[in-house]
Amino acid sequence: MTLFVGALNGGHRKQHHSGIPVTPAELAADSARVAAAGATEVHVHPRNADGNESLAPGDVAAALTAIRAAAPGLDVSVTTGAWNEPDPQRRSALIAEWNVLPTSASVNAHEDGAVEVARILRARGVDVEVGLFTVTTAEWFVRGPLRGLANRILVEPVDRPSILAVHDASSMLRILREHEVELPVLVHSDGAATWPVLLRARKLGVPVRIGFEDTFTLPNGEVAEDNSALVRAALGEQTPSA
């Protein structure tokens, strides 16, 4: 079966959608729901007590522990995005201090300190998902040091109109294929481009992710009640129109 990752929250807050899971308990309950809906993995952005995204060991541990108690056996990915800690050395130090480890962690290839973060994760036995936001980054990745550190690639043309996102996703997949990158690939976009990019990936047989991090709406334009509704839609109960 095609891998479906439930991207549960991203940087969104309750004011964006009342169903956004923020606390460890909410992330745990939502993880169990999307697993029951068919997701094989979840991707989360842990939060601190104030609801802000956090890479602090205690905050990461609280989220992971709660999710694993509610959904045993479910793979869990977390972010290492530089917006959590802009200083590369401090970011690496926080990740090195994690005392509860995720299955995998996303590392954005274009961010300062990405290679060092990837090395720390690999040394600790955490799979590295290298995020490629642009065609230029994909061209750099196939020749750069992150290629040898990656366990999976995230093709993620975000923050752009649908027609450009679909084009860029196809271009990045082509670059990876032409350079014989034999790693698992996961595709997603965001906003209005979410479903067009997902549909293109499905046609190509490439695994995808979906969730409130990327969109609040179903293919028919209705606001989704929760993340599990988006997962069910991605699995084909509602088919995006192209």
Side-chain angles (χ1 to χ4, degrees), residues 43 45 77-81 104-108 117 121 127-131 154 156:
H43 174 74
H45 291 210
S77 163
V78 301
T79 183
T80 65
S104 59
S106 61
V107 178
N108 298 321
V117 167
L121 291 168
D127 285 352
V128 173
E129 308 170 303
V130 175
L154 304 179
E156 37 191 350

Side-chain angles (χ1 to χ4, degrees), residues 153-175:
I153 300 165
L154 304 179
V155 170
E156 37 191 350
V158 296
D159 296 326
R160 67 201 75 178
S162 297
I163 190 170
L164 294 181
V166 171
H167 174 272
D168 287 355
S170 299
S171 296
M172 285 189 272
L173 291 170
R174 175 182 51 77
I175 289 167

Side-chain angles (χ1 to χ4, degrees), residues 2-165:
T2 300
L3 172 71
F4 283 88
V5 176
L8 302 186
N9 57 355
H12 298 302
R13 295 175 176 270
K14 295 289 188 183
Q15 57 261 42
H16 299 122
H17 190 296
S18 61
I20 295 290
V22 175
T23 68
E26 291 170 345
L27 287 168
D30 218 26
S31 294
R33 283 191 290 268
V34 298
T40 55
E41 183 177 329
V42 291
H43 174 74
V44 301
H45 291 210
R47 309 298 179 89
N48 61 22
D50 295 326
N52 297 316
E53 292 185 62
S54 173
L55 298 180
D59 298 324
V60 174
L64 293 175
T65 301
I67 290 169
R68 286 171 173 155
L74 186 68
D75 287 339
V76 186
S77 163
V78 301
T79 183
T80 65
W83 55 86
N84 290 278
E85 174 50 67
D87 180 79
Q89 292 184 333
R90 176 60 181 157
R91 189 163 71 252
S92 293
L94 285 170
I95 293 166
E97 292 171 2
W98 287 354
N99 55 358
V100 177
L101 298 176
T103 313
S104 59
S106 61
V107 178
N108 298 321
H110 64 277
E111 293 178 347
D112 290 341
V115 173
E116 180 60 22
V117 167
R119 286 176 175 152
I120 291 170
L121 291 168
R122 285 293 296 265
R124 306 205 65 199
V126 178
D127 285 352
V128 173
E129 308 170 303
V130 175
L132 305 179
F133 283 28
T134 66
V135 173
T136 299
T137 308
E139 291 171 339
W140 174 83
F141 168 80
V142 297
R143 299 178 176 87
L146 277 176
R147 178 171 177 170
L149 295 168
N151 297 98
R152 184 165 72 187
I153 300 165
L154 304 179
V155 170
E156 37 191 350
V158 296
D159 296 326
R160 67 201 75 178
S162 297
I163 190 170
L164 294 181

